[in-house]
Amino acid sequence: MQAVKAGEDADGSRASTAAERVPAGAGETASGNAFPGGGGEPGAGHMDARRVAVVRGTAAVLAALSVSLTVAGTAIQWSVPKEWAPWPPTAPDHGSGLMFPLVGAFLIAYRPRLKLAWLMCAGGLGCAVNVMATGLQFTQASAGHLESAGWLRILAIAGWTVGACALSILVPLLSPDDRLPSRRWLPVAIAGLAATVAYGVHNMVRPTPPAGTYRWPQVIPNPLAIEALAPYHTAVKGALTLLVNAFMVLTVLSLLVRLRHATPAARRQLAWPLVAFAVYALFTLLGEDYWLPGTVWTGLIPVAIAFAVLRYRLYGIDTVISRTVIATGLVVAVGAVYFGTGALAGLFVSDYDQVAGLAAALAAGAFFEPLRTRLRRLTDVMLYGRHGRPEELARRLAHEVGETEPGNALAAVTAVVQDGLGVTGVAVEVGTAGMRVERGAAGPDPYVVPLVWHGEPVGRMLVGPPGARRFSAAYTERLIRTATPYVADVAHAVLTAADLQRSRERILSAREEERRRLRRDLHDGLGQALASMSMSLNIARMRLREAPSSADRMLRELRGSMDSVSQEVRELVYGLRPPMLDDLGLHGAVRALAVEPGPTVDVEVEGETGDLPAAVEVAAYRIAQEALTNVRKHADASRATVTLARSEHALVVRVRDDGTGLPEHRRSGIGFASMRERAAELGGTCLVTRAPATGADAGPGTQVEATLPLAVRSGDRAPVRTGGSLDQAQP
């Protein structure tokens, strides 16, 4: 139960407590920001450069003095004759006096006013004084100078008391923002300091121990001994030890209270000193036999504090815990399997030692990988919860994507991501669809994750700050990388569905507008013309006998009106279906388009195009017509190629030119929108992309490729070959 030497006790052992030197991390500022790495804390600008230099120089001197005293004291202790050598040979004071002042001075260089750093320097110096005074004490005692050894023992106890008060009581209570957790902890701090000082004073005035129970050859006299306390010494010592240990537990509780009520970032910061303190306490409570690993661990505690202060966002304590648990479990389990198998094999095949060793190695190897996997899953669940693992998150997202239709899948996937990341909220905004799905509250300053589907931006995902779940921030980046492709797939599906719905609405609107135009043209144009012709015929009939010349003139005018009506009827018919399709077929009609003035146009046909459905013929003709119009107006091309490729299930219309290509910043025009809508009306796609150059001096070119499905006789729609997004690379 003892941790730090402070001279001899009543039975000759070192007087110390388990509460010695258990610091916690110096953490964020009151506002929650990590300490800056440049040189100075908030408010350090009010200190002039000379004062800052003096402060840092003082810290450096304290660190150098503490390290020198610790190293020299350790060397002196090792040089003491064996019968007077201190026991145990090492104590946590050695690690504290060596490392705490160094790390404290390093932190003071960044934050001159950080009280935790100054406490580390002061406590480390006290421990160094304890180490040095203890070495000199036993050196003097071995030389026969017992009185001076007694006074050096008092100095060692004083150094221990300073170290215990600073590092065991004040540092944990003030972590991480130089403030107590609340005002209610002020009595705890005062009582803890009082108990530690009382323990040190009790050791200073302890009565002379009996020679029969003394560990060393001669009793070192105590110049401040109060012999009247002899009957009560053991009871008082035990009570004070329990009291100091109780305050050590309370300091742990103060860190746990902070951990429970802290923000996620501060929680991860606090985990470093909390774990370091807990492991040290474990070594201490196990007794003097574990003081050697406790000494080594004590030297690591200030390093953990430095990580908590400066680099806690980069090095996650949860990762350290996970790997430590896995490594420890593997060593213990594989070792047990190896030695157990070897022992059993030795019993049954005792004459074959090599066989026993081989069997043990094979058994240990067989258990290694399954055990590692199980331990990793166990630690992941312990630290991050059931859904805080990338493979589990991917499985849940794949299930939601596969089982839910796009509109509802977006909400379902958002909920899964929010649960898997353990954040306060997740929002998904889908491109130009005007859709936003939010689960929880992403907050005013969320982390923005772009959603990209095959190189095409489809939206963004807004991730809120980590929630209250255990260490949820540790795997956030890894989990975000796992979830982003699934969310992007759903966002693309939503965009595609929205585009399809808009196309259908435009098609329906265009169809109704066309019907309205036909009705207006038939009623206002053709209808009125036919009514006028009917009246003219009646008038000409009445004048035929009375004024033949007048009737003849009216009939000639009527003949001209009939020609106009015929032309109007012809225009209406041509608007419904290009007549060249009936006269020349699709191939011939496209060739007729190719001979119009402009760049040279080649027409290529693959497969039979004579028996295409009427709707497919019209759509293919209009798309080719619009694409060639764009080539002649905008492409600045010397040659273009129109390809009509028919397969079993679809007709592909491809128009490629060797012009200047698509502009870097492009917008979809009316012509391109019309082509896409005509293809979408038939359930197909229309892509506008850059095309490879067709000549040595040609430009990059543009390619329009429309895939139009052919309806099967049974009425079922055949599968459609698609090449990408409906909006891919649209100008």
Side-chain angles (χ1 to χ4, degrees), residues 97-116:
L98 189 64
M99 292 301 297
F100 272 93
L102 288 176
V103 176
F106 174 75
L107 293 178
I108 288 172
Y110 285 87
R111 299 223 19 186
R113 294 181 178 179
L114 181 64
K115 292 190 287 291
L116 291 172

Side-chain angles (χ1 to χ4, degrees), residues 265-280:
R267 186 180 300 115
R268 196 175 183 192
Q269 178 186 21
L270 279 165
W272 281 97
L274 179 59
V275 171
F277 178 72
V279 174
Y280 170 80

Side-chain angles (χ1 to χ4, degrees), residues 18 29 64 84 97 99 141 145 245 334 355 378 404 431 434 443 460 495 528 549 555 615 629 648:
T29 61
W84 282 100
M99 292 301 297
H145 306 295
N245 288 339
V334 173
V355 174
L378 177 64
T404 314
R460 62 178 188 167
L495 271 179
Q528 295 296 331
S549 59
L555 289 174
T629 300
E648 181 181 358

Side-chain angles (χ1 to χ4, degrees), residues 103-177:
V103 176
F106 174 75
L107 293 178
I108 288 172
Y110 285 87
R111 299 223 19 186
R113 294 181 178 179
L114 181 64
K115 292 190 287 291
L116 291 172
W118 286 106
L119 287 172
M120 292 169 66
C121 289
L125 180 60
C127 295
V129 170
N130 184 12
V131 173
M132 186 66 179
T134 301
L136 294 175
Q137 169 193 347
F138 286 103
T139 299
Q140 292 292 313
S142 64
H145 306 295
L146 297 180
E147 291 186 4
S148 60
W151 285 108
L152 288 170
R153 175 184 171 276
I154 299 299
L155 180 61
I157 295 175
W160 173 88
T161 304
V162 172
C165 289
L167 303 180
S168 179
I169 302 298
L170 296 180
V171 168
L173 289 175
L174 295 177
S175 297
D177 55 2

Side-chain angles (χ1 to χ4, degrees), residues 499 502-504 506-508 510-511 514 575 615-616 618-630 667-688 704-708 726-727 730-731:
D499 289 343
R502 285 196 298 269
S503 296
R504 289 174 176 172
R506 292 195 196 102
I507 291 169
L508 179 60
R511 184 174 62 190
E514 186 66 14
V616 174
V618 173
Y621 178 81
R622 295 300 188 191
I623 290 173
Q625 184 182 41
E626 183 63 38
L628 289 176
T629 300
N630 289 335
R667 295 180 59 187
S668 180
I670 297 176
F672 287 159
S674 174
M675 289 188 291
R676 290 198 308 274
E677 289 173 1
R678 288 185 182 276
E681 185 176 17
L682 298 177
T685 61
C686 183
L687 305 178
V688 182
V704 177
E705 181 175 327
T707 302
L708 308 175
L726 294 178
D727 293 330
Q730 296 167 4

Side-chain angles (χ1 to χ4, degrees), residues 497-568:
D499 289 343
L500 180 60
Q501 180 62 29
R502 285 196 298 269
S503 296
R504 289 174 176 172
E505 292 173 356
R506 292 195 196 102
I507 291 169
L508 179 60
S509 177
R511 184 174 62 190
E512 295 302 322
E513 289 294 333
E514 186 66 14
R515 287 178 175 178
R516 180 183 298 175
R517 184 186 67 81
L518 286 174
R519 179 178 180 275
R520 183 176 60 250
D521 291 345
L522 290 173
H523 179 271
D524 298 340
L526 185 60
Q528 295 296 331
L530 291 175
S532 176
M533 290 172 61
S534 176
M535 294 177 61
S536 297
L537 283 173
N538 291 331
I539 295 173
R541 182 183 176 186
M542 290 188 311
R543 293 183 179 182
L544 184 60
R545 294 179 181 180
E546 299 176 358
S549 59
S550 175
D552 182 66
R553 186 179 67 255
M554 293 183 66
L555 289 174
R556 286 196 303 268
E557 293 176 354
L558 183 60
R559 179 72 177 88
S561 299
M562 290 181 65
D563 292 338
S564 299
V565 171
S566 298
Q567 182 63 30
E568 290 184 13

Side-chain angles (χ1 to χ4, degrees), residues 173-204:
L173 289 175
L174 295 177
S175 297
D177 55 2
D178 275 2
R179 298 179 181 179
L180 294 172
S182 67
R183 292 182 178 180
R184 288 176 291 183
W185 287 90
L186 180 59
V188 175
I190 296 174
L193 292 174
T196 304
V197 172
Y199 188 91
V201 171
H202 175 74
N203 279 337
M204 290 181 182

